Amino acid sequence: MENVKIKNRPERERPRKVKESKARIAFLIVNTAFLCLFAVICLLPFFNLLALSLSGKEAADADLVTFWPVGFTFDAYRLLITKVQFFRSFGISVARVILGTFISVAVVTLGAYPLSRAGRTLRGRSFYTVFFMITMFFSGGLVPTYIVISKLGLMNNILALVLPTAMNAWNMVLLINFFRLVPKEMEEAAKMEGAGHYTILLRIVIPISLPAIATVTLFTAVQHWNNWFDGLIYMNADYVPLQSYIYNMINEQSGTGNNVITNPEEAAIAQNTTIKTLQSAQIFIAILPILPLYPFAQKFFIKGLVLGSVKE
C-alpha cells in the first residue's frame, strides 16, 4: 500500500494587532493618569477622616492630622462600643434596613407597574400619577406625622421607622420609566398563554428590570441606614437605631446632650477623645456596613446602561 501523504493543514492565522496611533496612545496615558488622580483626590478625605479617628485628642484639636494618625489610639472607637447599647442599636439598624428595604421596594414596585401601563389598561392613571407626584413636593409636616404614628400605637416600634417612608415617589418614577422599556410583545405573548398581571410582573417585568430595582434597593437601604432623626422622635432611648445612638454620644461629648458616660472606665477613655475624633469614627462606623452593597449592585448598573438599546 502506497503511503498517502497527508498535507499539513494550514495554521490558523493569528489576528493581527492593530497598531494604535501615537495620538491614541497619548490619549490613553493622559486619560488613565487623570482618572487615577481623580480617584486619589476622592479618597484623600476618607484617609484624612480615618487618620483623624485614630489620632489623639491634642493632635486633633491642634489640626496636626493629615493622612497619618498622630498619637495613634483606638479610644474614639472604644468609647462608641463600650456600652451594650451600641450593639443593640446596631442590630436595630440592621433590622430596619432589611425590613424597610423589603417593604419599600415591594410597595414601590406594586405602585409603579400599573402606572407604567397604557391609559386604557388603568383608568385614571394620570390622576394617580399626579397624586403620588405631589408627595415629592409637599408633606403633612412633622407634627401631624407624629400624631398619626402615636394614634396608630407605633411609638417605640420599628414599624414607625419603616412605614412612613415605604412609598418613595421618586423611586416609583424611576421604576415607571424602566417598566415602560419592557417590550410589549413579551407581555402580549404572556397574556395569550393565560398569564395575569402578577405573573407578568414576577416573571417578565421584574427580571428584565433588575438594574432599576437594584438601584432603588440601594437607595432605600442607604436611606434607612443613614436616618437618625426619626429614631430620636419615635423610639425609646434604649431602642434607638445606630445613627441616633452615635448622635447622642457626640452631643454628650460636646456637653449639649444627656450624660451617657456612667462609669470611670468610660470617663478615662473619653479624656483622650474629642468631637473631631468621635465624628470621624462615626462616619466610618456608619459607612462600612453599607459599602458591600455597592459592588453587589455594580453589575446591575452596567446592565442598565445597555438595556435601552433593545428596540422593538
Side-chain angles (χ1 to χ4, degrees):
M1 237 180 126
E2 297 182 357
N3 294 332
V4 179
K5 296 183 179 180
I6 301 176
K7 296 182 180 180
N8 294 331
R9 295 181 180 179
E11 295 182 359
R12 294 182 179 178
E13 295 183 359
R14 296 181 180 179
R16 296 179 181 180
K17 295 182 178 180
V18 179
K19 187 176 181 180
E20 296 181 346
S21 62
K22 294 182 179 180
R24 173 67 176 174
I25 295 175
F27 169 77
L28 292 176
I29 294 175
V30 174
N31 190 42
T32 304
F34 173 77
L35 292 177
C36 292
L37 178 62
F38 185 75
V40 171
I41 293 175
C42 293
L43 291 175
L44 285 180
F46 293 96
F47 288 136
N48 176 256
L49 287 172
L50 178 60
L52 192 60
S53 67
L54 297 174
S55 299
K57 180 178 181 179
E58 294 77 9
D61 289 336
D63 293 329
L64 300 177
V65 182
T66 54
F67 307 113
W68 192 257
V70 179
F72 186 87
T73 178
F74 285 104
D75 285 346
Y77 294 96
R78 290 171 58 195
L79 182 60
L80 290 176
I81 64 175
T82 46
K83 283 181 167 284
V84 178
Q85 176 64 32
F86 175 86
F87 298 98
R88 183 187 298 119
S89 298
F90 186 89
I92 292 174
S93 289
V94 172
R96 173 184 182 172
V97 169
I98 296 175
L99 180 62
T101 302
F102 175 78
I103 292 177
S104 181
V105 172
V107 170
V108 169
T109 302
L110 292 176
Y113 174 74
L115 295 179
S116 65
R117 304 300 93 186
R120 62 179 181 273
T121 304
L122 176 64
R123 294 182 180 180
R125 179 173 62 91
S126 299
F127 169 78
Y128 293 117
T129 303
V130 173
F131 177 81
F132 286 112
M133 292 288 291
I134 291 177
T135 62
M136 295 176 59
F137 308 100
F138 304 97
S139 65
L142 179 61
V143 175
T145 304
Y146 180 87
I147 294 176
V148 171
I149 296 297
S150 178
K151 294 297 183 180
L152 292 176
L154 297 179
M155 297 298 294
N156 201 32
N157 191 318
I158 193 172
L159 292 179
L161 308 177
V162 170
L163 295 182
T165 58
M167 169 52 71
N168 189 302
W170 172 251
N171 291 338
M172 188 178 69
V173 170
L174 292 178
L175 290 185
I176 288 175
N177 294 330
F178 221 86
F179 288 169
R180 288 176 178 172
L181 297 177
V182 178
K184 297 180 180 179
E185 288 77 4
M186 299 180 64
E187 298 183 20
E188 293 175 355
K191 290 180 180 179
M192 293 179 63
E193 296 293 333
H197 286 292
Y198 286 104
T199 303
I200 295 174
L201 175 63
L202 295 176
R203 296 191 177 184
I204 297 177
V205 177
I206 289 181
I208 293 179
S209 304
L210 280 181
I213 294 176
T215 303
V216 170
T217 300
L218 181 62
F219 289 166
T220 306
V222 172
Q223 175 188 359
H224 278 292
W225 182 262
N226 290 334
N227 279 351
W228 58 272
F229 186 68
D230 51 0
L232 297 178
I233 298 176
Y234 303 127
M235 304 297 288
N236 188 288
D238 294 332
Y239 296 96
V240 294
L242 181 62
Q243 304 298 336
S244 303
Y245 170 76
I246 295 177
Y247 175 83
N248 288 334
M249 291 288 293
I250 292 178
N251 281 346
E252 181 278 332
Q253 185 71 7
S254 62
T256 60
N258 296 328
N259 186 12
V260 296
I261 295 180
T262 57
N263 58 66
E265 182 181 356
E266 294 179 7
I269 297 175
Q271 290 179 357
N272 196 34
T273 59
T274 183
I275 291 298
K276 294 181 179 180
T277 57
L278 276 178
Q279 288 178 342
S280 301
Q282 172 198 11
I283 293 174
F284 274 91
I285 291 177
I287 66 175
L288 287 179
I290 208 69
L291 281 180
L293 291 179
Y294 287 91
F296 171 78
Q298 182 65 30
K299 60 180 180 180
F300 296 105
F301 294 154
I302 296 175
K303 291 181 181 178
L305 295 176
V306 299
L307 185 61
S309 61
V310 179
K311 302 298 181 182
E312 297 182 6

